[in-house]
């Protein structure tokens, strides 16, 4: 069901019908209600529309409704309909925070214009709120997760409430999609950040060594164990243990890890003493762990212990709007590392990057950014995607043009370090046009300032 742009409240059914027809013809989705309490059930703090209501209603007056709505979110525009000669009431409504008022009988064009202005104001308020939240997120110390695409917003909305809760998390994503970076972000922004973040790739350690790596050993526990060694689990006490490629963990070791999760105790190889541990587990996999457990290739009891919260990390091909920002970020890092100049992409280069399918995901993009810093634009031609035609063929002309436009603006803002004046000159467009296009593509100048 389409979210209404306008919620209209009036106890007169004829007026409700007339308003509904007028707004529908103007392509403004509207929901009509006969009383305030019914309408309030459809309004919340994140409602992105406008409320139009009559002042004189038997169950709840327009002013009472205004008060209730402002208690939810004072930036929701409320427009009051008043009778002729009731200007004092209208003034009172404005003093109490109404967006505007309009007298009956009203001019339809005047009403439509007023509603459209109110809608624009509401959308700007919500956009500013979102951008402020994003800036707070970017201002946090430690690792940052870059990207403002809808799929990454969903990821961040899932993990942010979990940062200070020691629940185990299962990260699922393709190779190179950023599972390690997200695990580090979770740790560094949690109450455990003062303690160790310990990572182990379960698929990279030989099977005969991984038990010792995880649990540690006493001197003499096996041939070559000439001294005591603290294992990864114990080293992560009060911190976070990141188990990458957890699907590769041997079955026998899965049993021991399950016991650690259940008892919060670890026993070193060759020891009869147990050590108490307080550790949060973040596991990562590129496989379907549920299917592996159903097929008997991964312990189902361990799967459910690890899968308290599952986070699916989108591949880069599904978050292409993030590519220009990510590439610029990696270029800046590489330029600082190799003491080279960072050359901004032009719009055509950025558009070509967005057409590639990126089978290696963010890791592939980062590697290309490093080659770009070392070799210059020639590095991009080495990466000319073989699948450009097929990818572009799945996009509409409008999608391709929007992608090109966004890339051009991002590139100009990066070059001009967020200066609106310089960006206007570089793109050859007016200030209002630039702001309109930045709002359309969810861009804020603060993202590009040094």
């Amino acid at each position: 069901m389409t979210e209404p742009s306008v919620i209209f409240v009036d106890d007169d059914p004829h007026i409700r019908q007339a308003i509904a027809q007028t707004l529908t013809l103007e392509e403004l989705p509207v929901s009509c209600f006969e009383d305030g309490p019914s309408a309030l059930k459809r309004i919340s703090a994140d409602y992105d529309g406008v409320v139009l209501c009559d002042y004189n209603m038997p169950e709840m007056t327009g002013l009472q409704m205004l008060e209730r709505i402002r208690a939810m979110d004072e930036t929701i525009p409320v427009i009051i309909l008043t009778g002729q000669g009731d200007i004092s009431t209208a003034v009172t409504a404005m003093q109490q925070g109404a967006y505007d008022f309009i007298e009956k009988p009203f001019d339809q064009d005047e009403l439509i214009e007023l509603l459209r202005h109110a809608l624009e104001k509401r959308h700007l308020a919500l956009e500013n709120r979102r951008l402020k939240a994003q800036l707070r997120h970017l201002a946090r110390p430690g690792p940052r997760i870059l990207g403002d695409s809808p799929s990454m917003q969903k990821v961040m909305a899932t993990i942010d409430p979990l940062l200070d809760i020691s629940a185990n998390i299962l990260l699922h994503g393709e190779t190179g999609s950023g599972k390690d970076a997200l695990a580090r972000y979770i740790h560094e922004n949690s109450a455990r950040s003062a303690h160790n973040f310990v990572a182990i790739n379960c698929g990279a350690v030989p099977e005969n060594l991984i038990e010792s790596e995880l649990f540690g050993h006493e001197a003499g526990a096996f041939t070559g164990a000439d001294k005591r060694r603290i294992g990864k689990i114990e080293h992560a006490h009060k911190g976070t243990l990141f188990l990458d490629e957890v699907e590769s963990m041997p079955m026998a070791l899965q049993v021991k890890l399950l016991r650690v999760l259940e008892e919060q105790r670890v026993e070193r190889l060759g020891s009869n003493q147990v050590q108490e541990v307080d550790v949060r587990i973040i596991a990562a996999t590129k496989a379907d762990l549920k299917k592996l457990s159903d097929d008997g290739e991964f312990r189902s009891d361990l799967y459910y212990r690890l899968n308290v919260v599952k986070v699916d990390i989108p591949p880069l091909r599904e978050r292409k709007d993030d590519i220009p920002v990510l590439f610029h970020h990696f270029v800046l890092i590489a330029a600082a590392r190799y003491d080279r100049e960072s050359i901004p992409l032009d719009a055509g280069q950025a558009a070509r990057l967005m057409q590639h399918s990126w089978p290696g995901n963010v890791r592939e993009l980062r590697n290309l950014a490093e080659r770009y810093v070392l070799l210059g634009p020639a590095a991009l031609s080495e990466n000319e995607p073989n699948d450009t035609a097929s990818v572009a063929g799945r996009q509409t002309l409008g999608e391709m043009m929007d992608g090109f436009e966004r890339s051009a603006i991002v590139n100009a803002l990066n070059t001009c370090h967020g200066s609106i004046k310089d960006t206007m000159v570089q793109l050859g467009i007016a200030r209002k046009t630039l702001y309109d296009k930045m709002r359309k593509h969810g861009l804020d100048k603060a993202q590009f300032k040094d």
Side-chain angles (χ1 to χ4, degrees), residues 287-326:
D288 185 343
L289 219 55
K290 177 66 167 65
K291 185 177 186 302
L292 291 179
S293 68
D294 291 343
D295 294 342
E297 298 177 30
F298 193 88
R299 290 189 64 94
S300 58
D301 44 9
L302 178 58
Y303 165 71
Y304 288 114
R305 273 288 184 175
L306 295 174
N307 189 33
V308 177
V309 178
K310 183 183 178 186
V311 179
D312 290 303
I313 305 175
L316 191 57
R317 63 181 174 274
E318 294 180 6
R319 45 179 297 214
K320 291 193 172 184
D321 285 351
D322 295 336
I323 289 174
V325 173
L326 285 168

Side-chain angles (χ1 to χ4, degrees), residues 351-370:
R352 286 199 299 275
L353 290 184
M354 293 179 70
Q355 290 178 344
H356 186 38
S357 63
W358 299 104
N361 290 296
V362 177
R363 185 176 296 140
E364 181 185 356
L365 182 68
R366 183 182 61 208
N367 291 342
L368 177 62
E370 290 198 4

Side-chain angles (χ1 to χ4, degrees), residues 7-79:
I7 286 178
F8 177 51
V9 190
D10 197 302
D11 57 332
D12 187 326
H14 300 295
I15 295 180
R16 290 200 303 273
Q17 183 180 16
I19 290 288
Q21 290 176 346
T22 298
L23 299 189
T24 300
L25 289 172
E26 293 292 333
E27 298 183 346
L28 288 172
V30 58
S31 289
C32 297
F33 299 89
E34 64 180 353
D35 57 67
S38 299
L40 287 171
K41 294 177 182 178
R42 289 291 305 275
I43 303 170
S44 62
D46 58 355
Y47 172 56
D48 65 353
V50 177
V51 177
L52 175 66
C53 67
D54 190 23
Y55 173 76
N56 288 304
M57 295 183 291
E59 192 166 347
M60 177 182 287
T61 68
L63 287 183
Q64 290 172 327
M65 192 168 178
L66 171 65
E67 182 180 3
R68 292 280 298 276
I69 293 171
R70 286 181 62 78
M72 294 183 203
D73 183 350
E74 61 183 17
T75 66
I76 297 176
V78 179
I79 300 172

